[in-house]
Each structure stands twice: as structure tokens, then as C-alpha cells.
């Protein structure tokens, strides 16, 4: 018997006056829809609707109509009492009395009560089991004193009531499904069947061989699913198509994304193209995450990221009016290294930038003040949070999902104020309780389940009838599921619980597999060979491998895929290919098929494509700007001509530019103390290390506000007592050896300007880090590098690293003092200060007769690059060579195609 035939039997029972109790709302809704459809088709109407609903809703309603003396305890009340019980009943180590333990214990009690296990008694067990039993006894006493009981024992209470009042057992009730019901549910159903003319109807199971497909990965699997759905949609109504997600966590986001691309956003009512699987909790809604940002900001120690998320959140109407201006605040915080503290964050923003708000940021300080208290009552926390929301004009609702989420959140806050009574608690505890309670609330949109393609879970499919069903992700650990983690149950108790061991999970998986083909005549099972990360996927033990079909990979812009070729990203990609083909054709016509000719740039690109007039090139540039030009003219244009700066990345620890700048400042401070008194070079190593440590300490006092600088100080100095080397201490050991060999520092942070290159009007300016002198060996020019140092090839052959040649040329030209050039042979190199492991002094340009030839070649190459730039040639590196993928301007560089008659000041160019 198929599910469709089974539902006809159920409709006949309802016509006979039977009431139906189902496991899932989906089944009851589909049955009610069929009843209404049949009555409309027959032209019959009536005031009394069919009796059909879920067992859980009926049990709660029936118990409430009895006006009992005891009521089920709400979750907030249970959790609060449980947390109080933990004070006198601490768990065994390593468990701690926190909120996750409260939730785990409550879930354990719920499992025990459903499957007829007394949570407070049983055979001798381990320490966890005995602790659970003692905790339950205390909890039960507390609940009984308040005339409450655990909701999981509601079925047990109904059984005992019907035992005392058999005449109250509902008559003519058909219980549908529940093949794996709990202990008390089974007893109650037996009462309904034996004494009141009720019926127990198991769901049908069918042995069939569905179509099985194997894809390369989940995305390819979804591509195949979408194309079959569009084909099926031409044959049957949309609501008769179903996609069953056995692994909703892994497949639901991917499916939702591609459904949105192909069919557009989900609509409500009978206009829906699809109904996505329900089950998103309130904690997963953007509105909830925005709502708790004020508490999260206080709990996280007033961190910058939480505050920035709040002022940029679209759910807060007050700061949203100046959203673009507030985005600049984060730039100020990053540049100044401000990582937290409400007052520090507000005061770090210049007054002119704070003026975008009516009260220059004082609003935030006043709004947060009540939430920054250490402890207060739960009702005070909620009232202060509501006050902050009102001040910041929260919430701004965007759609139906936001409206439903706000409704649930408002009710949750009200329940929290009314039910969570007790002493003062902290903001972190309040936030944890709110998240725990919100995690139990399911957000379901008001769309019609009889409209659109149905996307449902594996358990929801049981009993439903469709025309076509697709089941993706048919993998091991999905069907059957792995055994449940039940740490508070003994081995005997786990065998009594569905899912407590491998055998019960296997039985349920086999049962679910047999019920899938009962849902329709045409079922497609599919699975991927690998995950999206490239890890292999194991098939389910129920997978029918003998008839499986391997499906080759498909590419939306290369193969015929009608569904995917409706997606916006595919349409734009195909359009981009067409435009690129047209552009390449025009280029081929322009340059021909032969060798490069005059007017043709590198890689076959016309040279005029990236040429500008009226460039406004500066008369003097820095050595770092020259390095950017030698590396890539396109990067030089974006960075040094247009002045664009990439937004700094948020990194854990000290960001590399700040670290490099601070190390240079430390070395300069220490170097000035050394050169102020020549006798310092003759001091023993211990005295020099003490001097260096004092410099680092002084810098630490000045830079205490810089994020993570105290930690970096320890890395620079190390720990001599623990035998941990420091970067600067090891550097000084090497320098001290040089002092003993007669080397002295004669110049620190020496700047120069006006360095000319022959046949080039642009001058260079720079600053060398250090110059060392030896009376016999001459001078060595050193450049500190806190990152990777350039290789010898980059400096002497490729001529892409200009610092050392430019410094030597400036010394030869007398720009750093004529006496320096008379000090004998000149060499240059790098001092690598990235880490202790990479610490070294590396001579790159040797002091020999080849230095002059190298400087001449470098001067020619630098002058040629500068002259091309003066002519407006800004051809990017990728136009004729491989490009550096780490370039911060890679997202802009590909769009640089200029009209030669325009200048960079033209707004059309800047677009």
C-alpha cells in the first residue's frame, strides 16, 4: 500500500466520525487539505471540520480542559530550578555547573520520562548516572512544591487519569504512525484502542528499487536536482514535487541558495514556487543576533567588533540614517589600534566624524550605561534592553521572516521577565539563557504547504504522498544516524531508548528507507562521491549500488542546463564570456596574427589601452613608490596616483605594518643611545641587553593602548630565565659580535631627497635604516625587514627591489654626506627581523668592482620605467605576465581600461 492509498483509508475513517492523531503536522495538514479539496469538489460544506491533528497538541489541549491541579512546567522555570538544584548537587568532575549542563540534564530527564525510565531510580551505575538520579529527586521535590511537573511526563499523567476515569478515554480515535513510540505513549494508545473503539494504524512500507544517481559533489547533485525539477514541473503541479533532505544542516543552505538563484526569492501564499524545509530556530535569525548585540557587547568586554556590528546593523534605525559615515569609524579604530572600551572607542573618533550623530556619540554611552552593570535582576535586564532598543529605534523589519522573528522574540522577552525570577545575575548569564530558550523556538513562515515545491525533512516525509520525490545526500551517518550521546544513562537504560545504540538506529533507518518509496511511484535517490572540500563520502548501507548510475560533472556555461541557465550568476557569466570574446576579436583585428608591431603592448594587448594623458605625475617619488612601479604600473597607478588604500584586515594579534613600524622605532631609540656615546660599543653584552630591555619597556609604556603590543614585547625580549630567546636579544648578540670585530654604527634613519637618474626628470627620496663602518672593510648599508626579504635575483638581476641600489647610489652622489663616500668600499644587505628562526644578516650587494656596473644597470631600468609612466603607460602586470595574487587591488585592476583622451581626474575613469 502506498501513502496515497493509505490516506484514502484515513479519509474514509474521518467520514465515519473518527478523529486522527498524527506524529507530524505535515501529515495532518495534508490530510486536512485533501478533506477540504474533496468537499469542495463534491459541493458540500459544513460548520464542523474534521478532527485531525498531532498527538502532542491534542495532549496539551486535553490536559488543559481538565483544569488540573498540576501543570507542565515551562522550560524557563525548569531551567532556573535546575540551576538552583546544581548548587547543592554539583556534578562529578570534569563537568561544571553551567548552562550547557542544565540543558543536557533537562534533555536527559525528558528522554527518561518518555521511554518509561525512572530518572531517580535504577540499577547501580557510574558516578554520572548516580548524580543524575540524585539531581532528579531534588528537582521533582521542587516542582511538586510548585504544583508543576516535567512536560515529558504529560503522557504518563494522562494514562493515570484514564485509569481512574475510563469513561473519559476519547472514543473513535485513530492513531496514525508511532511505530517507535515511547513507553507511556504505547500504553495510552493501547487504552484508546482496547476500551474506546480506537485504532492503531502503522504507516505503510514498500519494498521498491528507486532510481539511484551518483554525482561528483553536493553542488553537482543540486545542479542535477534542479534540472529534473524544472522538467517535472511541466508534467505535474508544483505541490506534488518533493525534495527530502536527510541531512538538512549540510544541504539546506546549498539548496536554498540555488533555489533563490533559479526560482527567485520565496513567496508566501499560493504563489510560492517552493516551500523550504522549516526548522530554523530563533537564534539563527538575523534579527535575533542583532537584538542581543547590546548584551553581547557588554559580555565580550566592550569589544570593537560588536560595537561596529551594532552601529552598522540595518535593524537599528537610529544609527542607520548615517550608516555610510559611521563606516569610517572602524577605519579610525584600526589605524589607532583601539580594540575595545566604549569610552575609548567613542573618544578615538575625531569630533568632526562624530558630528554625524545628533549628540556626537553620547547617545551610545547613555544607552549602554544600564547594560554595563555587573549584576541586576532578570526583569531589570529586560527592561533596560527594551529601553536601549527604543532609544536606538529597534527593530526595523524588512520582511515576513523578520516580523515572525520579532513576534517570537517579544514573547520570549515577556516570558523571561515573568518566569525567570530570582536574585541578581550577570549579563553573560542572561544572554546564555536567552540563546538557550531561543534555540527551542522554530521559525515557520506562513506560506501554504499545498503550494510550490515541497522541501521537507526525512521524518516529515513519513505518511505523505507526492508524484515525484528526490532524496539527495543518501550517505552513511545520515541514514542510519549514529547512536545518540546519552552520557547520563546506564548501558541498560540506553538500550530502552530509541537511538541509544547502533541496533536501534539501524532498525529505524531501515524503516525510514522502506517508507521513502511509499510516498510516490517515482523516487530518485542520489549521493555525492566527495564533499565540497574534497573528502570522500561513504554511501549508506541501505544504498542500492547494483543499479546506480554515475553522472558526469556539468558546467552551467558549457553544458545544456536549462534550470541553472536561468540563474543570475550564470547569465552574467555567459554575458561576460560573450563580451570578452568580442573584445578579444577586436584586439586580434587590431594587432593581427603576426609578431608584435609598433603600438602593440605586451601579451598582444594594444599599448594605448592603458595609456593616459595629463597624468599629473609628481616631480619626486619615494623609493617604495618606485618599487610599486617596477613591480606593476597598474598597482602604482591605483596606489600612488589615485591614492586608494585597502581596508586593513582584522587579524588576531599585531598586524604586520604596525609591528614593523614599532620595531623600527625601537631600533632607532636603541641606536641613538648607542651612537650618543661611542663607549657603548665597548660595553659587555649583559649591559647592552639591559639597555635594550629598558628601551622596550619605555616603548611599552608609550604604546600600551596598541592592541597586543604587550605580548609582542615579550616575543621581542624573550624570557632568559625560562631559556626562551627573544628576537631583539638574539639580534643584539649578533651585533655585539660585530662590535668586537671593529664595526660601528655611523648613521641611523638617514634621509635623502633629490636623487636624479640620467635622462629622467623625476627625482627619488628615501631613508636608509642603518650604515655601518669598519676602518679596514669599508661601509655596509643595512635595510631592516620585518617581513620576507627580497632574494638576490630580485635585487641584482630582475632589478625589482630598488632600496639597496638607490641607497648606494645616494651615498655615491654625496646626498648623505661627502665623508661617507670616502669611507672605502660599499656593500649593502638586509637584516631579517621576521622571527628568531629567520634572523640573519644577509649581504646582497658585495663590495667589489661590479657594484658600479650594477648601479648603472639599475639606474637605466628605473629611468626607463619612470619615463614610461610619465608618458601615461599604466599597463598592469597581468596584461603580459603572471600577476601577484596577493595584490590588494586585484578586484579593481581588471577594470582598468582607459580612454586615452581622458585623465585620472575624469570621473568616468574613477568609476
Amino acid at each position: 500500500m502506498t501513502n496515497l492509498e493509505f490516506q484514502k483509508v484515513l479519509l474514509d475513517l474521518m467520514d465515519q466520525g473518527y478523529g486522527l492523531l498524527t506524529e507530524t503536522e505535515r501529515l495532518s495538514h495534508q490530510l486536512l487539505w485533501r478533506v477540504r479539496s474533496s468537499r469542495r469538489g463534491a459541493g458540500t460544506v459544513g460548520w464542523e471540520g474534521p478532527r485531525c491533528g498531532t498527538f502532542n497538541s491534542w495532549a496539551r489541549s486535553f490536559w488543559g480542559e481538565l483544569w488540573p491541579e498540576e501543570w507542565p512546567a515551562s522550560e524557563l522555570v525548569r531551567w532556573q530550578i535546575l540551576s538552583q538544584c546544581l548548587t547543592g548537587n554539583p556534578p562529578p568532575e570534569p563537568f561544571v555547573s553551567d548552562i550547557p549542563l542544565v540543558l543536557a540534564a533537562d534533555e536527559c530527564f525528558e528522554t527518561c520520562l518518555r521511554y518509561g525510565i525512572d530518572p531517580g531510580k535504577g540499577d547501580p551505575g557510574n558516578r554520572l548516572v548516580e548524580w543524575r538520579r540524585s539531581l532528579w529527586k531534588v528537582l521533582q521535590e521542587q516542582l511538586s512544591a510548585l504544583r508543576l511537573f516535567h512536560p515529558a511526563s504529560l503522557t504518563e499523567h494522562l494514562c493515570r487519569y484514564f485509569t481512574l476515569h475510563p469513561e473519559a478515554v476519547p472514543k473513535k480515535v485513530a492513531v496514525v504512525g508511532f511505530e517507535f513510540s515511547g513507553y507511556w505513549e504505547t500504553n495510552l494508545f493501547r487504552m484508546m484502542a482496547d476500551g474506546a473503539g480506537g485504532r492503531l494504524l502503522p504507516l505503510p512500507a514498500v519494498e521498491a528499487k528507486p532510481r539511484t544517481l551518483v554525482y561528483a559533489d553536493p553542488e553537482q547533485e543540486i545542479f542535477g536536482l534542479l534540472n529534473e525539477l524544472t522538467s517535472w514541473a511541466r508534467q505535474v503541479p508544483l505541490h506534488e514535487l518533493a525534495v527530502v533532505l536527510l541531512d538538512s544542516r549540510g544541504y539546506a543552505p546549498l539548496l536554498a541558495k540555488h533555489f533563490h538563484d533559479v526560482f527567485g526569492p520565496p513567496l508566501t501564499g499560493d504563489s510560492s514556487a517552493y516551500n523550504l524545509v522549516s526548522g530554523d530556530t530563533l537564534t539563527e535569525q538575523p534579527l535575533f543576533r542583532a537584538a542581543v548585540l547590546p548584551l553581547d557587547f557588554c559580555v565580550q568586554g566592550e569589544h570593537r567588533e560588536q560595537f561596529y556590528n551594532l552601529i552598522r546593523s540595518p535593524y537599528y534605525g537610529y544609527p542607520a540614517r548615517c550608516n555610510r559615515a559611521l563606516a569610517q569609524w572602524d577605519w579610525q579604530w584600526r589605524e589607532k589600534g583601539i580594540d575595545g572600551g566604549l569610552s575609548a572607542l567613542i573618544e578615538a573618533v575625531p569630533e568632526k566624524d562624530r558630528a554625524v550623530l545628533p549628540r556626537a556619540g553620547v547617545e551610545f554611552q547613555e544607552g549602554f550605561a544600564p547594560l554595563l552593570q555587573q549584576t541586576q535582576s532578570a526583569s531589570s535586564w529586560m527592561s533596560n534592553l527594551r529601553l536601549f532598543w527604543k532609544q536606538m529605534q529597534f527593530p526595523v523589519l524588512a520582511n515576513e521572516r523578520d516580523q515572525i522573528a520579532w513576534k517570537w522574540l517579544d514573547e520570549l522577552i515577556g516570558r523571561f521577565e515573568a518566569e525567570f525570577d530570582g536574585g541578581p545575575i550577570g549579563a553573560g548569564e542572561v544572554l546564555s539563557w536567552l540563546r538557550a530558550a531561543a534555540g527551542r523556538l522554530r521559525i515557520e513562515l506562513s506560506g501554504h504547504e499545498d503550494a510550490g515545491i515541497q522541501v521537507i525533512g526525512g521524518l516529515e516525509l513519513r505518511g505523505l504522498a507526492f508524484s515525484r520525490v528526490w532524496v539527495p545526500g543518501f550517505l552513511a551517518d545520515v541514514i542510519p544516524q549514529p547512536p545518540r550521546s546519552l552520557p547520563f544513562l546506564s548501558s541498560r537504560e540506553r538500550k530502552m531508548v530509541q537511538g541509544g545504540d547502533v541496533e536501534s538506529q539501524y532498525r529505524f533507518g531501515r524503516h525510514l528507507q522502506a517508507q521513502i518509496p511509499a510516498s510516490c511511484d517515482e523516487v530518485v535517490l542520489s549521493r555525492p562521491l566527495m564533499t565540497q572540500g574534497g573528502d570522500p563520502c561513504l554511501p549508506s548501507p541501505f544504498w542500492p549500488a547494483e543499479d546506480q548510475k554515475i553522472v558526469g560533472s556539468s558546467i552551467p556555461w558549457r553544458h545544456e542546463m536549462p534550470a541553472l541557465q536561468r540563474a543570475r550568476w550564470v547569465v552574467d557569466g555567459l554575458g561576460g564570456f560573450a563580451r570578452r570574446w568580442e573584445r578579444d576579436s577586436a584586439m586580434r583585428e587590431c594587432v593581427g596574427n603576426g609578431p608584435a608591431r609598433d603600438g602593440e603592448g605586451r601579451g598582444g594587448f594594444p599599448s594605448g589601452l592603458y595609456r593616459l594623458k595629463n597624468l599629473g605625475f609628481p616631480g619626486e617619488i619615494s623609493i617604495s613608490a618606485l618599487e610599486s612601479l617596477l613591480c606593476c604600473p597598474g598597482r602604482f597607478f591605483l596606489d600612488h596616483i589615485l591614492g586608494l588604500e585597502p581596508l586593513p584586515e582584522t587579524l588576531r594579534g599585531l598586524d604586520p605594518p604596525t609591528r614593523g613600524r614599532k620595531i623600527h622605532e625601537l631600533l632607532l631609540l636603541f641606536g641613538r643611545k648607542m651612537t650618543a656615546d661611542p663607549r657603548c660599543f665597548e660595553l659587555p653584552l649583559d649591559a647592552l641587553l639591559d639597555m635594550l630591555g629598558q628601551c622596550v619597556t619605555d616603548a611599552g609604556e608609550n604604546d600600551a593602548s596598541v592592541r597586543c603590543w604587550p605580548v609582542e614585547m615579550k616575543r621581542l625580549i624573550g624570557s632568559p630565565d625560562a631559556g626562551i630567546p627573544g628576537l631583539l636579544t638574539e639580534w643584539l648578540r649578533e651585533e655585539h659580535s660585530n662590535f668586537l670585530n671593529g664595526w660601528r654604527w655611523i648613521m641611523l634613519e638617514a634621509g635623502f631627497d633629490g636623487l636624479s637618474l640620467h635622462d629622467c626628470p623625476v627625482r627619488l627620496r628615501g631613508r636608509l635604516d642603518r650604515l655601518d663602518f669598519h676602518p679596514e672593510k669599508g661601509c655596509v648599508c643595512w635595510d631592516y625587514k620585518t617581513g620576507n626579504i627580497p632574494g638576490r635575483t630580485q635585487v641584482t638581476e630582475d632589478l625589482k627591489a630598488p632600496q639597496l641600489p638607490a641607497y648606494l647610489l645616494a651615498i655615491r652622489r654625496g646626498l648623505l654626506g661627502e665623508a661617507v663616500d670616502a669611507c672605502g668600499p660599499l656593500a649593502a644587505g638586509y637584516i631579517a627581523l621576521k622571527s628568531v628562526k629567520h634572523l640573519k644578516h644577509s649581504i646582497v650587494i658585495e663590495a667589489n668592482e661590479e657594484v658600479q656596473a650594477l648601479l648603472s644597470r639599475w639606474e637605466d631600468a628605473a629611468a626607463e620605467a619612470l619615463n614610461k609612466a610619465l608618458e601615461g603607460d599604466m599597463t598592469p602586470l597581468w596584461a603580459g605576465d603572471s600577476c601577484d595574487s596577493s595584490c590588494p587591488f586585484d578586484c579593481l585592476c581588471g577594470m582598468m581600461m582607459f580612454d586615452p583622451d581622458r585623465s585620472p581626474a575624469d570621473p568616468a575613469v574613477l568609476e
Side-chain angles (χ1 to χ4, degrees):
M1 177 184 293
T2 64
N3 287 348
L4 183 59
E5 296 169 338
F6 179 66
Q7 289 188 9
K8 292 179 180 178
V9 173
L10 298 180
L11 295 182
D12 292 339
L13 288 176
M14 281 193 283
D15 290 338
Q16 298 172 25
Y18 275 84
L20 302 184
L21 296 181
T22 64
E23 283 187 280
T24 64
E25 290 187 0
R26 284 272 185 177
L27 179 55
S28 63
H29 290 174
Q30 192 172 76
L31 290 171
L32 291 172
W33 175 77
R34 293 194 186 280
V35 169
R36 288 192 295 267
S37 298
S38 63
R39 290 184 178 180
R40 284 197 302 267
T44 59
V45 294
W47 291 102
E48 184 177 355
R51 293 187 301 152
C52 180
T54 63
F55 167 75
N56 289 333
S57 61
W58 169 83
R60 290 191 298 267
S61 176
F62 188 91
W63 183 257
E65 292 174 358
L66 296 178
W67 289 93
E69 296 183 357
E70 292 183 315
W71 290 87
S74 69
E75 56 190 16
L76 286 173
V77 171
R78 293 198 315 272
W79 295 344
Q80 184 181 14
I81 295 176
L82 256 176
S83 62
Q84 295 170 355
C85 293
L86 288 177
T87 304
N89 296 268
E93 294 182 353
F95 291 90
V96 293
S97 300
D98 55 6
I99 293 176
L101 182 64
V102 170
L103 303 181
D106 184 59
E107 184 179 357
C108 173
F109 296 147
E110 181 179 348
T111 301
C112 290
L113 293 171
R114 182 183 178 193
Y115 289 98
I117 301 172
D118 190 337
K121 297 179 181 179
D123 299 335
N126 58 34
R127 291 189 304 157
L128 275 181
V129 175
E130 294 300 332
W131 170 78
R132 177 211 80 198
R133 291 168 179 168
S134 63
L135 181 64
W136 169 254
K137 293 175 183 177
V138 179
L139 175 63
Q140 192 175 32
E141 291 176 0
Q142 298 272 7
L143 292 176
S144 299
L146 298 173
R147 294 186 176 276
L148 299 173
F149 61 86
H150 199 289
S153 62
L154 175 59
T155 310
E156 179 184 356
H157 280 69
L158 288 174
C159 286
R160 291 178 176 172
Y161 178 82
F162 289 144
T163 301
L164 298 175
H165 305 87
E167 72 282 356
V169 178
K171 305 298 188 294
K172 300 185 71 173
V173 173
V175 179
V176 182
F178 293 96
E179 293 87 350
F180 294 86
S181 58
Y183 175 80
W184 290 107
E185 291 169 342
T186 302
N187 290 341
L188 179 59
F189 298 154
R190 189 177 298 115
M191 289 182 183
M192 292 180 175
D194 294 344
R199 300 183 63 177
L200 301 180
L201 302 174
L203 296 173
V206 174
E207 291 294 334
K209 290 186 178 181
R211 190 156 55 100
T212 53
L213 304 175
V214 181
Y215 291 87
D217 56 42
E219 188 166 46
Q220 287 290 321
E221 194 176 7
I222 299 302
F223 286 173
L225 182 152
L226 287 170
N227 278 288
E228 289 219 8
L229 284 179
T230 54
S231 176
W232 289 347
R234 302 187 186 98
Q235 306 171 35
V236 296
L238 291 182
H239 68 271
E240 294 186 12
L241 304 177
V243 179
V244 181
L245 300 183
L246 301 176
D247 178 17
S248 60
R249 184 174 296 274
Y251 274 80
L254 185 63
L255 190 67
K257 174 183 179 299
H258 286 295
F259 265 45
H260 188 282
D261 289 342
V262 174
F263 302 121
L267 303 175
T268 59
D270 55 8
S271 299
S272 299
Y274 55 93
N275 271 307
L276 292 176
V277 61
S278 61
D280 288 348
T281 62
L282 181 57
T283 55
E284 297 170 306
Q285 305 306 309
L287 181 135
F288 178 82
R289 292 195 290 268
V292 298
L293 274 176
L295 290 177
D296 202 24
F297 174 73
C298 300
V299 171
Q300 296 293 336
E302 305 177 35
H303 199 272
R304 169 182 58 84
E305 291 183 1
Q306 276 72 28
F307 186 60
Y308 182 67
N309 290 339
L310 190 146
I311 63 177
R312 292 299 310 277
S313 172
Y315 291 99
Y316 288 87
Y318 184 83
R321 70 188 70 179
C322 43
N323 193 285
R324 297 174 69 105
L326 294 179
Q328 300 296 322
W329 288 22
D330 191 52
W331 183 280
Q332 302 282 349
W333 298 329
R334 291 169 188 255
E335 285 190 334
K336 298 177 180 179
I338 306 299
D339 209 35
L342 180 60
S343 299
L345 291 170
I346 297 295
E347 294 171 2
V349 180
E351 292 185 7
K352 62 181 180 61
D353 293 334
R354 277 185 278 158
V356 297
L357 293 174
R359 301 179 59 196
V362 177
E363 309 94 317
F364 293 112
Q365 294 176 312
E366 293 180 352
F368 274 113
L371 298 177
L372 290 172
Q373 300 181 29
Q374 294 293 327
T375 59
Q376 52 187 309
S377 65
S379 59
S380 297
W381 280 114
M382 294 303 97
S383 61
N384 288 330
L385 182 60
R386 288 184 184 273
L387 187 63
F388 182 87
W389 288 346
K390 182 178 180 181
Q391 183 178 355
M392 295 297 151
Q393 299 175 10
F394 176 90
V396 178
L397 305 179
N399 49 41
E400 181 194 13
R401 184 177 290 275
D402 285 347
Q403 294 171 356
I404 296 175
W406 171 243
K407 171 180 173 293
W408 284 107
L409 176 60
D410 191 45
E411 291 181 2
L412 174 59
I413 296 296
R415 287 195 295 112
F416 195 85
E417 287 179 305
E419 299 177 4
F420 207 92
D421 189 19
I425 58 177
E429 193 174 356
V430 170
L431 185 59
S432 298
W433 286 124
L434 284 176
R435 284 175 171 160
R440 299 291 187 95
L441 298 175
R442 298 287 176 180
I443 302 298
E444 297 188 11
L445 301 181
S446 58
H448 295 178
E449 291 177 355
D450 58 336
I453 300 168
Q454 304 295 296
V455 183
I456 58 179
L459 297 180
E460 291 178 306
L461 177 67
R462 301 170 64 238
L464 299 182
F466 298 98
S467 295
R468 303 283 192 278
V469 170
W470 187 302
V471 187
F474 208 86
L475 297 170
D477 289 338
V478 174
I479 178 171
Q481 292 280 338
R484 297 167 58 187
S485 176
L486 303 169
F488 305 117
L489 299 184
S490 66
S491 57
R492 185 185 66 84
E493 291 170 339
R494 280 197 292 268
K495 293 180 180 179
M496 302 169 62
V497 175
Q498 166 57 40
D501 55 14
V502 175
E503 290 77 10
S504 65
Q505 288 289 55
Y506 191 89
R507 287 194 301 270
F508 185 79
R510 176 64 73 182
H511 173 76
L512 181 60
Q513 183 221 13
Q515 289 188 329
I516 290 176
S519 61
C520 73
D521 294 330
E522 186 169 347
V523 174
V524 177
L525 306 181
S526 65
R527 67 177 181 89
L529 286 172
M530 296 181 297
T531 66
Q532 287 183 288
D535 298 323
C537 296
L538 297 177
S540 167
F542 308 133
W543 176 261
E546 61 275 5
D547 297 323
Q548 69 181 13
K549 176 185 176 183
I550 307 296
V551 181
S553 297
S554 299
I555 302 175
W557 46 79
R558 200 178 282 182
H559 301 95
E560 183 64 26
M561 301 181 71
L564 262 297
Q565 287 169 359
R566 297 171 54 185
R568 176 66 180 270
W569 63 276
V570 178
V571 171
D572 290 347
L574 291 172
F577 285 140
R579 290 190 296 271
R580 180 61 181 268
W581 182 86
E582 293 174 359
R583 190 181 71 187
D584 290 349
S585 299
M587 289 179 181
R588 285 192 293 270
E589 293 178 3
C590 176
V591 302
N593 296 322
R597 298 173 298 186
D598 293 340
E600 182 180 342
R602 295 174 297 171
F605 285 82
S607 57
L609 197 62
Y610 297 99
R611 188 178 297 278
L612 288 168
K613 292 183 179 180
N614 304 321
L615 186 60
F617 204 92
E620 186 176 75
I621 65 172
S622 65
I623 300 297
S624 60
L626 175 62
E627 182 178 22
S628 178
L629 178 64
L630 294 174
C631 175
C632 175
R635 181 171 180 172
F636 172 82
F637 172 77
L638 294 170
D639 191 357
H640 298 279
I641 299 298
L642 293 186
L644 302 180
E645 296 182 21
L647 186 67
E649 295 183 6
T650 301
L651 302 173
R652 292 188 179 275
L654 202 65
D655 61 278
T658 302
R659 178 179 181 271
R661 185 173 65 254
K662 293 300 178 184
I663 290 178
H664 275 72
E665 292 174 0
L666 270 174
L667 295 178
L668 177 61
L669 177 62
F670 177 74
R672 285 176 175 171
K673 287 188 176 183
M674 293 288 295
T675 55
D677 187 355
R679 292 174 297 178
C680 290
F681 293 98
E682 301 175 0
L683 292 175
L685 178 61
D686 291 342
L688 293 179
L689 289 174
D690 291 340
M691 186 188 303
L692 177 64
Q694 186 61 45
C695 290
V696 175
T697 301
D698 294 342
E701 294 177 355
N702 298 330
D703 300 319
S705 62
V706 177
R707 180 181 58 185
C708 300
W709 180 244
V711 177
E712 187 63 30
M713 288 170 54
K714 295 181 180 179
R715 294 177 59 191
L716 296 177
I717 297 301
S719 178
D721 297 337
I724 300 175
L727 174 62
L728 294 187
T729 55
E730 294 303 306
W731 161 79
L732 186 54
R733 291 181 191 277
E734 294 190 12
E735 296 291 350
H736 182 257
S737 298
N738 294 332
F739 297 160
L740 296 179
N741 292 328
W743 287 96
R744 296 294 184 265
W745 301 346
I746 62 172
M747 195 169 290
L748 301 169
E749 293 287 337
F752 63 88
D753 54 21
L755 176 61
S756 61
L757 305 176
H758 56 68
D759 298 328
C760 180
V762 180
R763 300 292 188 266
L764 300 179
R765 66 175 181 274
R767 182 181 298 273
L768 62 85
D769 290 332
R770 201 179 83 204
L771 188 66
D772 292 5
F773 170 73
H774 191 281
E776 298 177 0
K777 299 179 181 180
C779 290
V780 177
C781 175
W782 292 110
D783 191 33
Y784 297 135
K785 288 292 185 183
T786 56
N788 297 324
I789 63 174
R792 185 182 299 270
T793 302
Q794 291 179 270
V795 178
T796 62
E797 297 181 17
D798 298 337
L799 307 178
K800 297 294 187 183
Q803 282 88 356
L804 298 184
Y807 297 158
L808 293 183
L809 192 61
I811 292 175
R812 288 286 178 88
R813 299 278 176 84
L815 298 180
L816 292 165
E818 295 181 1
V820 175
D821 187 34
C823 289
L826 282 174
Y830 297 106
I831 299 179
L833 296 171
K834 184 176 182 180
S835 65
V836 175
K837 178 181 178 181
H838 298 93
L839 175 65
K840 65 177 179 179
H841 291 60
S842 178
I843 296 291
V844 177
I845 301 178
E846 303 284 351
N848 53 36
E849 63 277 2
E850 297 180 1
V851 172
Q852 185 58 42
L854 170 63
L855 296 182
S856 179
R857 285 191 293 109
W858 178 84
E859 187 177 2
D860 290 340
E864 181 182 3
L866 285 169
N867 287 328
K868 283 187 176 182
L870 284 171
E871 295 172 0
D873 186 359
M874 292 290 118
T875 305
L877 184 63
W878 61 264
D881 202 349
S882 59
C883 190
D884 181 8
S885 60
S886 64
C887 175
F889 304 105
D890 56 352
C891 58
L892 300 176
C893 189
M895 297 186 292
M896 287 202 324
M897 288 192 178
F898 305 125
D899 187 329
D901 294 328
R902 289 176 178 163
S903 70
D906 194 324
V909 174
L910 300 180
E911 290 178 356

